[in-house]
Structure formats: C-alpha cells, structure tokens
C-alpha cells in the first residue's frame, strides 16, 4: 500500500508513532515522479535537494501539536511566486526567472504548516487556457488516459494529485481553472470566495477574477488545505478581513433538510448525456441523504462566456503590459531600437493564446469601444451576480455539472479557440459572481474518464459547500477509483 493511499490523519499518526518519517514521504513522492512523470508531464521544475534537506530537518523536530499538513509533499502551480525557486508561468517570457526574491503569501502560510514543496507544476501560459496545451514547454497529460488533456489552466496541479505524485497541490482559478481540471482528472478542487485567499504573489491574469485554491484527493483534505491558506492579508487590497470558521469541524453534519438548486441552464443543450446522467444520479444520492432539490433558472448565465472573455482579456491586457523586456523577463537580442525591443520581446516571449487575449482586451478598452464592450460586460457581470443572490435567498447550495463533457483528446480542439472557450461555460459564472465553487468526482464516462459534480454556495459559506461535498463523497466511492497510467479505466 502506497503512503499516498492513507488519509492525512493516518499519516500524522504514523509520523507521531515514528512508523514513517517525513523523509519517507518526500522520497516516495520523488520516486513516483521518476516513475510516471515522463508520461504525465505535470512538473516544470523540481526542488529535490532542498525538499529532502527540509524533510530531514522536520524529522528532527518535535511533532507535538503539529498540523495535519506537517511534512506532507505539495506541488505548486507555476504562477505562484516561490522564493529561490524558478517561477515561469509556463511562458518563455519568464524562462529566466530562476531565483524570485520573495514568497507569495500562500507559500508563507504553508511554510508555517511545515509542508514540503516538491516543485512547480505545469500550466497554460499565464493561466490562459482550458487544456494545458498552451504551456510554452510541453502539454501535461491526463493520468486516466494520456491521450487526453488534464484540463487547464491548473492541469499540472490536478494531474500531479491524480497520479499520486504529491498529496495535494495549489492551483489558481480565473474562470474554472481549478474546477475544470479537477473534474477531468477525478480529484477535488475548490475555488474560494473572491478575497478569502490572498493573491499577493500570484502572477496576475485577471485581477478581479483570480483566486488561489486547493486540489486534493478527498474533500476532507481539501478542507484542511483551504484552512491553511485563507485569511486577511494587508499585502492584498482585495483580501477580506472576516472571521474564519473551522471547516473540518462541520464536515460531518450531513445534508438532511438541505435545499439544493439545480439551474436548468446547467443541464441544457451542450451537456453530454453521460454527464447529465451522472449529475442526476448524484442528486438521487442527496435525496437519499435527506436533501431536496428543485430546478431553478440563472437566466443571464448564457452571456457569461462572452462577458468573461471581454473582462478577463481586458484585465490581462493591462496586467501583462508590465512584461516588456525592460524590468524583468527575457529581452529580445534582435532589437535595433527601444520600440523594436518592446515589440520583439513581446512577440518572442508570448504564445499565441496570450497574444490573442491581449489583443482582444486592448480592443475592448480602446477609445470608442469601451462603452460598447467592456462597460456592457461589467453590467452583465452584475446581472449574473444578482441571479446567484436571488437563488441563494431560497436555497443553500447550487449543484450541477462542472464541465459539459469529460476530458477531450490532446490536439482535438486546440485550433478552435471558441470551442475551447465554451468548455468553461459552467464554471465561469462562479468567478464573475465571486462566489465559492468546487468540483468532486461523481461518475465516469463509458471511456473510463472522470465526471465532475460542481457545488456552489453563498459568499464566504465554504463550510456549507464542503459539508455538502463531504456527504456525497462519504455516500459514494467514485473518489476511491484510481487511474492506471497509459490507458483508460473501464
């Protein structure tokens, strides 16, 4: 039995009783990476020497009153800044950022919990993508079947957890970039309420939408990792100062009497029959557990994709203006003048998808088009937020599929941006409204690929979201099925 098959509590008991060491955990993580990452390709950078030195140091410390995360290997998405550890955002523009000078706030929090950073995980360049094929280095593969994508942009983060290379990971979610890959890879991923987790040290894509969140194998693990990274941060002006509950204390309270809303738009045309069936079966599980559900409408969700790509691209255009070859990043060696240097550095440093979104955002913000596009998209965003708030007046949670289909094949739609964008149609509204959402496994396709169930709750009500997810997980065994690398499970 692999150490990765134990729960956090079981591992901490083994550490406390000296049945295993932190060094054993770290060694097993790197052993697994050496065995399977040539197929999965989840990691961009490994930090083996430093990780093993930290493990040895932790083994010498007292384990009294330590957290459940103590000594556990974690992977970090490569757009989260790590002091002294290469951070590239999977872009050639930051290929030479080998020694960042500071840690993101979430990294400081994890250090207090004594987790061990194994390395940095692959992603779509600057978090722009839904398949991980936009990485400027290589595409990550889905551990359930390496012919398929793991989702994006946190594809490396989800794939590494599904492949048992790390116990858990951090990703970032701008329009579904934690939940969508979690669904594709059969793991648990959550996007917290906007402002609950500090964005300081997260390389910005769209500042009003980005959120860091945990990817784990179980809901309980997700609650523990989320607990470690939440909280107010004076370094982030959008960080909210509120009382944080203990998420794990309420996990087992059940869902009897819970009122579930199921948006008709989330099960409409475009959602595959297999996904719809899995979600409806999931709702039957909730009925058996004492919850009730009713169909509702989120009428403005049909405009979410258009509004999101206008707003996120506009913010990306502004945020990525800092990458000019002057202050940091790779500078073109072919430039003959200052303006030529700007143009060549950006042309050579950015990939096609990043360029596409910068151009769209710059157009939407330009004189004569601002009111027609950007301002109108902001108004639509408000309408989407109001839709959620109206539903939450009468219901505790919203449930539906995470994605319209299971994972698609590598190369299948990479040349069709509009189809790729539509893949996030069920996750984008959550980011526009700023509410929390998570994905957990609820079944498998006929090809053996995971299907994700999405649970959405009110602002800052992560406790209800996690409790709802935990009840489902305990009543089913979808999360217990493991991928066999190199072929689909049937």
């Amino acid at each position: 039995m692999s150490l990765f098959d134990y729960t956090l509590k079981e591992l901490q008991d083994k550490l406390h009783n000296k049945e295993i060491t932190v060094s054993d955990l770290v060694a097993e993580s790197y052993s697994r990476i050496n065995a399977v990452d040539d197929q999965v390709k989840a990691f961009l950078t490994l930090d083996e020497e430093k990780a093993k030195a930290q493990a040895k140091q932790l083994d010498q410390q007292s384990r009294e009153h330590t957290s459940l995360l103590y000594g556990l290997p974690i992977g970090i998405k490569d757009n989260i800044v790590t002091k002294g550890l290469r951070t590239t955002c999977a872009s050639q523009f930051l290929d030479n950022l080998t020694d960042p000078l500071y840690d993101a706030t979430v990294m400081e929090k994890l250090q207090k919990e004594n987790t061990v950073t194994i390395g940095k995980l692959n992603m779509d360049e600057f978090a722009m993508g839904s398949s991980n094929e936009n990485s400027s280095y290589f595409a990550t593969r889905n551990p359930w079947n390496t012919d398929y994508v793991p989702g994006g942009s946190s594809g490396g983060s989800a794939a590494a957890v599904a492949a048992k290379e790390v116990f858990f990971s951090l990703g970032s979610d701008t329009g579904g970039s934690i939940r969508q890959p979690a669904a594709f890879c059969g793991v648990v991923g959550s996007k917290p309420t906007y402002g609950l987790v500090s964005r300081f040290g997260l390389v910005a894509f769209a500042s009003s939408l980005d959120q860091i969140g945990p990817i784990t194998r179980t809901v309980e693990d997700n609650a523990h990792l989320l607990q470690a990274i939440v909280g107010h941060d004076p370094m982030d002006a959008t960080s909210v100062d509120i009382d944080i509950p203990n998420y794990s204390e309420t996990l087992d309270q059940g869902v009897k009497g819970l009122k579930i809303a199921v948006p008709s738009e989330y099960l409409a045309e475009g959602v595959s029959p297999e996904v719809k069936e899995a979600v409806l079966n999931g709702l039957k599980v909730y009925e058996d557990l004492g919850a009730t559900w009713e169909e509702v409408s989120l009428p403005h969700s049909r405009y979410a994709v258009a509004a999101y790509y206008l707003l996120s691209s506009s913010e990306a255009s502004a945020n990525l203006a800092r990458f000019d070859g002057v202050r940091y990043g790779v500078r073109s060696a072919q430039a003959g003048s200052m303006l030529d240097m700007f143009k060549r550095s950006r042309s050579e440093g950015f990939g096609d998808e990043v360029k596409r979104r910068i151009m769209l955002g710059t157009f939407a913000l330009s004189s004569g088009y601002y009111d027609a596009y950007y301002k109108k998209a902001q108004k639509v965003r408000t309408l989407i937020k109001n839709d959620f708030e109206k539903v939450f007046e009468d219901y505790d949670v919203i449930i539906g599929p995470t994605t319209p289909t299971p994972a698609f094949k590598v190369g299948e739609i990479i040349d069709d941006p509009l189809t790729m964008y539509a893949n996030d149609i069920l996750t984008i509204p959550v980011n526009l409204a700023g509410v929390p959402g998570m994905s957990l496994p609820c079944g498998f396709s006929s090809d053996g690929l995971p299907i994700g169930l999405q649970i959405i709750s009110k602002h800052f009500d992560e406790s209800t979201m996690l409790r709802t997810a935990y009840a489902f997980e305990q009543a089913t065994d979808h999360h217990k099925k493991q991928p066999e690398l190199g072929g689909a499970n049937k």
Side-chain angles (χ1 to χ4, degrees):
M1 185 174 180
S2 166
L3 292 176
F4 285 83
D5 293 321
Y6 291 99
T7 67
L8 297 188
K9 292 178 181 177
E10 290 171 337
L11 287 172
Q12 292 306 324
D13 286 342
K14 288 182 174 293
L15 285 171
H16 184 76
N17 296 329
K18 298 185 178 180
E19 297 175 38
I20 61 172
T21 65
V22 176
S23 295
D24 292 334
L25 295 171
V26 171
E28 180 139 353
S29 181
Y30 282 114
S31 176
R32 180 67 174 170
I33 291 169
N34 290 334
V36 303
D37 204 57
D38 60 335
Q39 302 172 61
V40 179
K41 298 185 180 298
F43 282 89
L44 286 175
T45 303
L46 293 172
D47 199 20
E48 187 167 1
E49 183 178 347
K50 185 177 178 181
K52 289 185 174 180
Q54 182 187 357
K56 186 175 181 181
Q57 182 181 22
L58 292 175
D59 285 331
Q60 298 171 351
Q61 295 180 5
S62 169
R63 296 194 184 93
E64 296 296 328
H65 309 296
T66 55
S67 81
L68 288 176
L69 307 184
Y70 185 92
L72 295 186
I74 186 171
I76 306 298
K77 187 175 180 179
D78 203 32
N79 61 344
I80 298 172
V81 178
T82 44
K83 184 177 182 180
L85 180 59
R86 187 169 178 249
T87 301
T88 70
C89 293
S91 175
Q92 293 301 312
F93 215 118
L94 292 177
D95 185 65
N96 63 356
L97 187 55
T98 57
D99 190 17
L101 300 178
Y102 68 97
D103 270 319
T105 296
V106 290
M107 296 308 301
E108 293 178 350
K109 288 178 176 286
L110 289 176
Q111 288 163 14
K112 292 179 181 178
E113 301 290 325
N114 289 304
T115 62
V116 180
T117 299
I118 295 300
K120 305 298 288 292
L121 293 158
N122 197 18
M123 55 184 283
D124 287 300
E125 184 182 6
F126 283 104
M128 299 180 189
S130 302
S131 66
N132 217 273
E133 294 169 283
N134 289 329
S135 169
S136 73
Y137 295 101
F138 45 77
T140 298
R141 302 297 180 118
N142 193 316
W144 292 88
N145 187 328
T146 54
D147 290 334
Y148 288 76
V149 302
S153 61
S154 304
S157 298
V161 174
K164 295 185 180 180
E165 295 178 303
V166 288
F167 284 93
F168 33 59
S169 65
L170 289 185
S172 67
D173 193 309
T174 306
S177 289
I178 287 175
R179 289 160 290 150
Q180 188 247 25
F184 280 6
C185 292
V187 292
V188 180
S190 62
K191 183 209 82 73
T193 303
Y194 183 80
L196 188 63
V197 177
S198 172
R199 292 186 300 107
F200 180 73
L202 174 67
V203 179
F205 163 16
S207 303
S208 73
L209 299 163
D210 300 337
Q211 274 290 274
I212 296 170
I215 297 177
T216 60
R217 287 182 55 210
T218 69
V219 174
E220 184 177 10
D221 290 357
N222 207 271
H224 289 303
L225 185 53
L226 179 62
Q227 193 82 55
I229 62 174
V230 297
H232 179 249
D233 179 17
M235 299 295 287
D236 176 6
T238 62
S239 176
V240 180
D241 190 4
I242 61 170
D243 292 332
I244 305 295
N246 188 319
Y247 300 126
S248 59
E249 284 184 353
T250 56
L251 280 179
D252 59 359
Q253 289 185 355
V255 293
K256 188 174 182 179
L258 191 82
K259 297 180 67 177
I260 299 170
V262 180
S264 57
E265 295 83 1
Y266 285 22
L267 293 174
E269 184 180 356
V271 176
S272 76
E274 288 182 315
V275 170
K276 186 174 182 179
E277 181 182 5
V279 171
L280 291 175
N281 288 338
L283 292 170
K284 291 177 184 177
V285 172
Y286 280 113
E287 288 179 342
D288 294 339
L289 295 172
T292 59
W293 67 273
E294 295 177 350
E295 194 171 290
V296 301
S297 178
L298 296 172
H300 295 97
S301 61
R302 72 183 71 178
Y303 308 114
V305 172
Y308 168 81
Y309 278 99
L310 281 168
L311 295 174
S312 64
S313 297
S314 296
E315 295 185 23
S317 172
N319 280 323
L320 271 63
R322 72 194 68 181
F323 298 101
D324 53 15
V326 177
R327 287 158 286 195
Y328 47 80
V330 175
R331 178 184 297 182
S332 174
Q334 309 300 320
S337 66
M338 183 178 69
L339 291 179
D340 193 38
M341 183 265 293
F342 290 156
K343 290 189 289 185
R344 286 181 177 273
S345 294
R346 292 169 69 81
S347 296
E348 296 169 11
F350 291 140
D352 289 344
E353 182 60 30
V354 176
K355 292 175 185 175
R356 185 180 293 121
R357 299 200 193 193
I358 289 174
M359 292 173 68
L360 174 61
T362 302
F363 173 78
L365 292 174
S366 63
S367 176
Y369 298 99
Y370 179 90
D371 287 346
Y373 295 106
Y374 181 78
K375 188 175 181 180
K376 185 176 289 186
Q378 288 287 25
K379 291 180 177 180
V380 171
R381 180 179 189 171
T382 299
L383 294 174
I384 291 170
K385 177 176 177 288
N386 291 343
D387 285 347
F388 277 100
E389 291 178 348
K390 184 177 181 180
V391 169
F392 283 132
E393 289 176 0
D394 300 313
Y395 298 91
D396 299 301
V397 294
I398 296 171
I399 289 181
T402 309
T403 59
T405 66
F408 45 88
K409 285 190 173 182
V410 174
E412 187 174 354
I413 60 175
I414 186 63
D415 295 323
D416 185 354
L418 294 181
T419 300
M420 186 74 79
Y421 295 168
N423 203 262
D424 295 329
I425 192 170
L426 302 177
T427 54
I428 280 171
V430 172
N431 297 79
L432 291 172
V435 294
M438 71 183 302
S439 178
L440 69 158
C442 70
F444 294 85
S445 71
S446 58
D447 293 327
L449 297 169
I451 296 171
L453 184 75
Q454 182 173 207
I455 301 173
I456 306 164
S457 62
K458 303 172 187 177
H459 288 100
F460 303 107
D461 194 12
E462 276 75 6
S463 292
T464 298
M465 179 181 74
L466 289 161
R467 170 168 64 93
T468 305
Y470 184 75
F472 180 84
E473 186 180 76
Q474 293 302 298
T476 60
D477 61 0
H478 306 300
H479 64 289
K480 295 179 181 179
K481 193 173 182 180
Q482 303 298 320
E484 297 173 2
L485 286 167
N489 286 359
K490 296 183 179 180

